């Protein structure tokens, strides 16, 4: 086994161990997408790692190799969920729905894995339901605690699961929103989920849907912090190995198209597998997601998208128009680094998150400023990097139209929105 920065280079599939030999897409070399650069470090070396996704020919899990430790990624994490209004609204709707569906009350216990700044659990607290957050990033967990969400600062897995059960008992509802992709050891993580769930408890997990990623060319949702990319077929196999049956699934609009899967213990016969789960499995098989050949054309689609984006930006800049970015999300950093877009195309970007302001995007070194900078400099085009929040951003920044400015975003190809 080669070793790289303290991490063993992955020999096979992180779920089933089969040899990885089928490429989904190679996005070249890229820095960690959340490693924003401070002004004093702009003249220093940055670490770049291969951004090459493989698909397992045995279980069809799409995955990146792990190059850095999870501790390095989440030591001082810059992503705070609460800076997106639409994400908070999504969390509130989910809370109302699941409390009603499961009949949760003051005697119930809810646990969220990767609970971030308490963006979701705060709504359970408001309903007087006991909550436990589990969040590895101490700086983010501190914000949750301040907001009244009890949070354990740990990485989750089998050992942490045993400790949590010893301290708090098992839980009625276990939530994992956009965390499964960020887990290097899937078997340890899902095995721990089995441990903390009550015999009649329910698991809900949300993750971007691989089918949507491929159909809509969402290659910029690939970055080192996301180790795996899931179809329903692959997720079902992973949970089944650990005694968890997926009995329902919902399709969501979040993050460009996500799935919310519902799991319960194999032994819990009171929750039969529903029509939506049966239909989703069949739809993926019919679309070829159970055949390795289906994954072969994605890389060429991505190259063509890169060419079109560069043609668009070259055309705009040759017309003498000023272009700035909106947002500093992980997907933006993948897009900009893969396409080689720096300050020759985008003057600066802005972000509502003060933890990012005053820093520079990793790799491209595009400066990150306060959103008010757009009002001050009056650019002709605002390129929205978090395209999944396009409508929210256009509403927030509607004043751009006062001077005839326009918005551009991927949808999935780059286009201008009047």
């Amino acid at each position: 086994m080669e070793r790289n920065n303290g991490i063993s280079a992955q020999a096979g599939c992180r779920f089933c161990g089969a040899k990885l030999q089928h490429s989904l897409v190679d996005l070249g070399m890229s820095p960690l997408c959340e490693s924003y650069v401070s002004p004093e470090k702009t003249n220093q070396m940055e670490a770049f790692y291969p951004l090459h996704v493989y698909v397992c020919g045995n279980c069809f899990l799409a995955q990146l190799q792990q190059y850095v430790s999870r501790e390095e990624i989440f030591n001082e994490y810059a992503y705070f969920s609460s800076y997106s209004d639409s994400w908070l609204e999504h969390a509130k709707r989910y809370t109302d729905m699941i409390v009603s569906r499961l009949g949760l009350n003051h005697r119930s216990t809810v646990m969220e894995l990767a609970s971030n700044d308490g963006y979701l659990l705060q709504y359970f607290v408001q309903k007087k339901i006991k909550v436990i957050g589990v969040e590895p990033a101490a700086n983010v967990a501190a914000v949750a605690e301040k907001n009244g969400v009890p949070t354990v600062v740990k990485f989750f897995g089998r050992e942490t699961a045993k400790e949590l059960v010893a301290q708090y008992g098992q839980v009625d509802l276990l939530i994992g929103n956009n965390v499964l992709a960020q887990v290097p050891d899937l078997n340890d993580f899902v095995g721990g989920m089995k441990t903390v769930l009550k015999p009649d408890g329910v698991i809900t997990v949300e993750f971007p849907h691989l089918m949507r990623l491929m159909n809509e060319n969402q290659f910029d949702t690939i970055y080192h912090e996301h180790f795996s990319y899931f179809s329903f077929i692959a997720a079902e196999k992973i949970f089944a190995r650990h005694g968890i049956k997926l009995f329902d699934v919902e399709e969501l609009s979040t993050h460009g198209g996500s799935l919310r899967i519902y799991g319960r213990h194999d032994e819990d016969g009171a929750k039969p597998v529903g029509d939506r789960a049966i239909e989703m499995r069949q739809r993926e098989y019919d679309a070829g997601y159970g055949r390795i050949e289906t994954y072969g054309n994605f890389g060429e689609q991505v190259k063509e998208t890169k060419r079109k984006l560069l043609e668009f930006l070259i055309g705009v800049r040759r017309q003498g128009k000023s272009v700035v970015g909106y947002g500093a999300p992980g997907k933006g950093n993948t897009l900009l680094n893969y396409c080689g877009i720096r300050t020759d195309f985008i003057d600066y970007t802005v972000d509502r998150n003060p933890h990012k302001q005053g820093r520079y995007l990793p790799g491209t070194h595009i400066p990150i400023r306060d959103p008010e900078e757009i009002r001050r400099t009056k650019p002709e085009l605002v390129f929205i990097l978090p395209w999944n929040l396009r409508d929210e951003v256009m509403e927030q920044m509607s004043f751009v139209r006062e001077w005839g400015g326009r918005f551009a975003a991927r949808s999935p190809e780059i286009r201008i929105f009047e």
Side-chain angles (χ1 to χ4, degrees), residues 99-313:
V99 167
S100 171
R101 177 169 175 170
L102 302 184
L104 301 176
N105 55 41
H106 65 279
R107 291 186 296 276
S108 308
T109 304
V110 175
M111 179 183 290
E112 185 184 11
L113 309 178
S115 50
N116 202 262
D117 57 9
Y119 76 99
L120 171 61
L121 292 181
Q122 62 180 333
Y123 298 116
F124 289 94
V125 171
Q126 288 170 15
K127 294 177 184 288
K128 306 290 190 289
I129 294 170
K130 181 184 173 187
V131 303
I132 306 150
V134 183
E135 169 55 53
N139 64 314
V140 181
V143 175
E145 285 278 358
K146 199 169 119 186
N147 293 335
V149 176
T151 305
V152 176
V153 181
K154 286 210 165 186
F155 284 100
F156 185 78
R158 288 189 179 98
E159 284 307 310
T160 300
K162 288 178 197 165
E163 293 167 19
L164 290 166
V165 171
Q167 188 168 354
Y168 301 103
Q170 291 178 312
V171 303
D172 299 276
L173 172 63
L174 180 60
I175 305 166
N177 284 351
N178 300 302
V179 59
L180 206 60
Q182 296 173 305
V183 174
D185 190 341
L186 283 171
N187 291 311
D188 183 51
F189 189 87
V190 178
M193 295 179 91
K194 173 84 172 170
T195 299
V196 297
L197 190 67
K198 279 185 182 176
D200 62 348
V202 168
I203 291 169
T204 72
V205 177
E206 295 179 20
F207 51 78
H209 190 190
L210 179 63
M211 183 187 262
R212 290 287 295 274
L213 185 156
M214 290 176 63
N215 285 349
E216 297 174 24
N217 215 11
Q218 299 171 358
F219 69 88
D220 48 356
T221 59
I222 294 167
Y223 32 91
H224 296 107
E225 287 84 342
H226 285 179
F227 301 111
S228 305
Y229 304 84
F230 301 91
S231 61
F232 184 77
I233 292 168
E236 198 170 42
K237 289 178 180 176
I238 293 163
F239 281 87
R241 175 184 279 189
H242 299 283
I244 297 167
K245 186 73 174 172
L246 302 188
F247 66 92
D248 195 10
V249 61
E250 289 177 78
E251 293 180 85
L252 309 172
S253 61
T254 53
H255 296 284
S258 298
L259 295 183
R260 177 187 291 146
I261 56 174
Y262 291 73
R264 45 88 167 161
H265 289 287
D266 275 345
E267 304 80 6
D268 180 6
K271 302 177 184 71
V273 177
D275 291 343
R276 292 192 294 194
I278 295 165
E279 189 274 333
M280 177 59 71
R281 183 193 309 120
Q282 192 58 48
R283 197 195 320 167
E284 287 193 347
Y285 275 115
D286 289 347
Y289 283 78
R291 297 192 311 272
I292 200 64
E293 298 78 24
T294 303
Y295 300 90
N297 299 324
F298 186 59
E300 191 51 48
Q301 278 175 232
V302 169
K303 290 175 192 170
E304 181 57 20
T305 298
K306 172 178 178 172
R307 291 188 279 261
K308 285 180 179 174
L309 175 58
L310 287 171
E311 282 171 359
F312 171 81
L313 287 173

Side-chain angles (χ1 to χ4, degrees), residues 56-95:
C56 176
N58 179 50
C59 69
F60 304 107
L61 178 66
Q63 57 202 286
L64 282 167
Q65 292 193 24
Q66 183 186 6
Y67 294 99
V68 293
S69 71
R70 59 188 187 176
E71 287 79 11
E72 188 171 337
I73 291 173
F74 296 105
N75 177 38
E76 192 68 19
Y77 202 46
Y79 180 74
F80 290 75
S81 298
S82 293
Y83 285 109
S84 168
D85 296 338
S86 60
W87 186 242
L88 289 178
E89 183 56 38
H90 170 73
K92 189 172 187 308
R93 281 198 308 270
Y94 165 81
T95 305

Side-chain angles (χ1 to χ4, degrees), residues 44-58:
Q44 295 180 17
M45 186 187 79
E46 271 181 274
F48 280 61
Y49 304 94
L51 199 55
H52 190 168
V53 182
Y54 292 86
V55 182
C56 176
N58 179 50

